[in-house]
Amino acid sequence: MSGILVVAEHRQGVLRPVSLELVSAVQDVRGALGDKVTVAVIGAGARAHQQTLSMAGVDELVFIDTPDAEFDPEVTEAALAALAAEIRPSLVVVPHSVDSMGYAASLAIRNGYGFATDVFGVAADGAAVVATRGGYGQKVNVELEFPGASTVLLALRGGTWKPPVDAASPAARDFAFSAPASRSKNVEFISPPATNDVDMTAKEFILSVGRGVGEEDNIERFRELADTVGAALGCSRPVADSGWLPKSRQIGQSGKTAAQCKLYMAMGISGAIQHLAGMKHVETIIAVNTDPNASIFSVAKYGVIGDMFEIADELEKHFA
Amino acid sequence: MKILVPVKRIAALEEDFEIRDDGRDVDGDFINWDLNEWDDYSLETAMQIKEAAGGEPEVVVVTVGPDDAEEVLRKCLAKGADRAIRVWDDALEGADQLAIARVLAGVAKTEAPDLILAGVQSSDHSHGCTGIALSALLDMPHAAVVAAMTYSAGDAKVRVQRELEGGMLHAVDVSTPAVLTIQLGINTPRYASLRGIKQAAARPIEELSAADLGADFASASRVRRMYVPEKSRAQMIEGSPAEQAARIAEIIREATGA
Ligand SMILES: Cc1cc2nc3c(=O)[nH]c(=O)nc-3n(C[C@H](O)[C@H](O)[C@H](O)COP(=O)(O)OP(=O)(O)OC[C@H]3O[C@@H](n4cnc5c(N)ncnc54)[C@H](O)[C@@H]3O)c2cc1C
Ligand SMILES: Nc1ncnc2c1ncn2[C@@H]1O[C@H](COP(=O)(O)O)[C@@H](O)[C@H]1O
């Protein structure tokens, strides 16, 4: 077994930042698992990302040309299977993303790899890979091993490792494989509809409500609270999916990033990783939740174990 | 025409829970079970395809789980699924999701569905991999995180919209038979009627043992250790709701300069 394969991800000509985070994620295990770190980029025009990926910690860049510039699960899988058959890596890492949810499990099961998703800790025990992920709604950590697997594929959580800062000049080459005739066809990208609702990415103070709000009729009360304390009202996904607040207010992976936010108050939100993706960077997070084990408390600066309705009533009095 | 909907029984921990003596899982006494949230949406998708086609397509739900996992199947029957299958074998205790996918593949090979609709992920362990692992074992085309789709029973392809990061959608045509993983919000799942619940209680559930399917159910990972992570970094605000709110008000004022 030789080395570590990192799979970069790009979309519409832009390299997704998680790609470089993965380079950092494997640096601690490179001694134990094989020294060479290869980064693969798949898709027509893959070479365009050469400079962005020429960073310290990368030994080799491999560009794999495909018929289409954009993601196709079957072509991606075939490309990686062919490359892995050549370099025989002990560890393959991909971003835990919407794209990888479309091919990683298939690649792993067809090739007999060890496999885990949404991994936020990578270590080596001797020459064996040990991965850490969450369980039971992120209330416990689960340490996994991969007995008997000579290659382990891990889908790594974004926003966990800091990308390398120093540029370098890794070797670069092309890799050819025979692309299968894909059974799916890209049609188009559709941007979320423009709205004239507030722009959550620009708000400095956001008060978000989650499923704990209970029912649609209770939204009004938190709209008032948000107005009273001077916050923009945001929400978690179930609230938007139910149509209680517009999608433009949803914070998280498939919604908005609270990019300018300095104070984020999460009420009745459990802290699923996809929600955190849009707000965990905020400097001051206050979480109100009835469940003392809610994982939101692991990113909050201040925590209140309590009922969001009671807290709302009391809080309002201070701003009357 | 047949649609297969794999559904999972998910575990929610009670407020106080203990890790088992072997350190590899939570003690089952501290777990409450429910139907995975995503599976409500995939079942609804199947039901809507069935209804649009005048009720002909058969909707079959399948779960891999022990006796008491039957409950989630009854829920699905109550919402209108035509048949329910439960597969188990004690040897599956501790199996990972790729092993579960192997079992599901055994069922899918017998059932030969035109469409398999799994959930994007399960709300307890968020693996997000079972449906796509299943597609590999069946060598079927597939798409993950489907937030919208256009399909009528018997179509040779399905137009899906994959929901990408940031809410962008990616429209893709996938030829059928196909495996799709269905995302929250794709529709509004129905509630079971009282009559449906009553009837479901009396309906048969087909039971298979994994051995009946005759495959090997190797896992691709094994739990070494499960533990409660180091206590949260949140500074807890104690006191009565009034006291807690007073402190929150202070924090808001400090942070906003209001
Ligand atoms: C690909 C993908 C993308 C996703 N994108 C997003 C996204 O962009 N944004 C997003 O939010 N989610 C997203 N999700 C969904 C995410 O996984 C969770 O399902 C969701 O964030 C849960 O929302 P919640 O915390 O409001 O609900 P729950 O997880 O149900 O939590 C509700 C919380 O409220 C608490 N509570 C209940 N009653 C009260 C009360 N009276 N007072 C105080 N607390 C109370 C409960 O203890 C619980 O912790 C995505 C999922 C996937 C797979
Ligand atoms: N034990 C199981 N029985 C049937 N289906 C399952 C099982 N586990 C997972 N699934 C399916 O896989 C989806 C996602 O699960 P996961 O990959 O575990 O996050 C679920 O929504 C189900 O459709």
Side-chain angles (χ1 to χ4, degrees), chain A:
Chain A
M1 290 302 117
S2 55
I4 299 170
L5 175 60
V6 175
V7 181
E9 198 168 289
H10 57 92
R11 181 172 296 148
Q12 295 186 298
V14 181
L15 189 79
R16 300 199 59 236
V18 64
S19 310
L20 283 165
E21 297 168 19
L22 301 196
V23 170
S24 299
V26 300
Q27 297 306 317
D28 282 351
V29 293
R30 55 188 298 165
L33 302 178
D35 212 42
K36 189 168 173 185
V37 173
T38 299
V39 175
V41 194
I42 303 161
R47 278 244 173 209
H49 304 294
Q50 178 164 1
Q51 201 189 344
T52 328
L53 285 168
S54 292
M55 297 300 283
V58 180
D59 298 303
E60 183 189 37
L61 292 170
V62 176
F63 302 103
I64 311 180
D65 197 26
T66 65
D68 196 336
E70 299 301 341
F71 174 74
D72 176 301
E74 296 191 83
V75 172
T76 301
E77 180 187 336
L80 289 174
L83 181 61
E86 186 206 277
I87 66 179
R88 300 165 49 76
S90 43
L91 175 65
V92 182
V93 295
V94 302
H96 182 59
S97 63
V98 173
D99 281 359
S100 85
M101 280 200 239
Y103 72 84
S106 179
L107 177 65
I109 205 165
R110 276 191 219 258
N111 294 283
Y113 299 161
F115 181 59
T117 61
D118 197 15
V119 168
F120 54 75
V122 183
D125 181 354
V129 178
V130 176
T132 306
R133 70 189 310 283
Y136 296 107
Q138 308 297 321
K139 287 179 179 174
V140 301
N141 282 2
V142 188
E143 213 173 75
L144 295 167
E145 59 193 358
F146 309 91
S150 46
T151 297
V152 174
L153 170 59
L154 301 179
L156 303 187
R157 180 183 290 182
T160 309
W161 288 273
K162 291 209 167 16
V165 285
D166 298 323
S169 312
R173 66 174 167 121
D174 294 309
F175 177 81
F177 75 113
S178 58
S182 179
R183 294 170 291 182
S184 46
K185 189 170 150 283
N186 290 330
V187 180
E188 59 174 337
F189 287 99
I190 306 164
S191 299
T195 63
N196 34 27
D197 192 28
V198 294
D199 176 9
M200 297 305 288
T201 64
K203 295 294 174 187
E204 295 193 352
F205 178 15
I206 295 173
L207 187 161
S208 279
V209 292
R211 205 193 316 258
V213 74
E215 52 184 277
E216 184 167 17
D217 289 349
N218 295 335
I219 294 288
E220 200 43 46
R221 176 159 184 202
F222 289 89
R223 197 193 307 278
E224 279 164 19
L225 178 66
D227 282 349
T228 309
V229 302
L233 183 63
C235 64
S236 67
R237 180 161 186 142
V239 172
D241 278 344
S242 306
W244 300 348
L245 280 173
K247 202 77 180 163
S248 49
R249 303 252 172 173
Q250 178 187 315
I251 305 298
Q253 180 191 304
S254 54
K256 302 290 180 205
T257 301
Q260 298 298 320
C261 189
K262 301 198 167 56
L263 175 60
Y264 190 91
M265 190 156 159
M267 303 185 86
I269 294 177
S270 62
I273 184 66
Q274 294 94 357
H275 187 79
L276 303 190
M279 48 65 78
K280 74 170 179 206
H281 60 275
V282 175
E283 188 181 321
T284 307
I285 297 170
I286 309 172
V288 180
N289 199 303
T290 43
D291 177 1
N293 299 317
S295 63
I296 189 80
F297 290 129
S298 69
V299 298
K301 185 164 175 189
Y302 301 102
V304 171
I305 300 167
D307 176 28
M308 61 193 281
F309 295 92
E310 280 185 64
I311 297 293
D313 285 349
E314 293 295 338
L315 188 56
E316 217 145 32
K317 294 180 189 164
H318 294 269
F319 291 84

Side-chain angles (χ1 to χ4, degrees), chain B residues 158-173:
Chain B
V158 50
R159 164 81 48 100
V160 304
Q161 291 184 8
R162 297 197 304 132
E163 185 193 61
L164 307 175
E165 288 81 2
M168 170 98 78
L169 297 168
H170 184 203
V172 182
D173 283 340

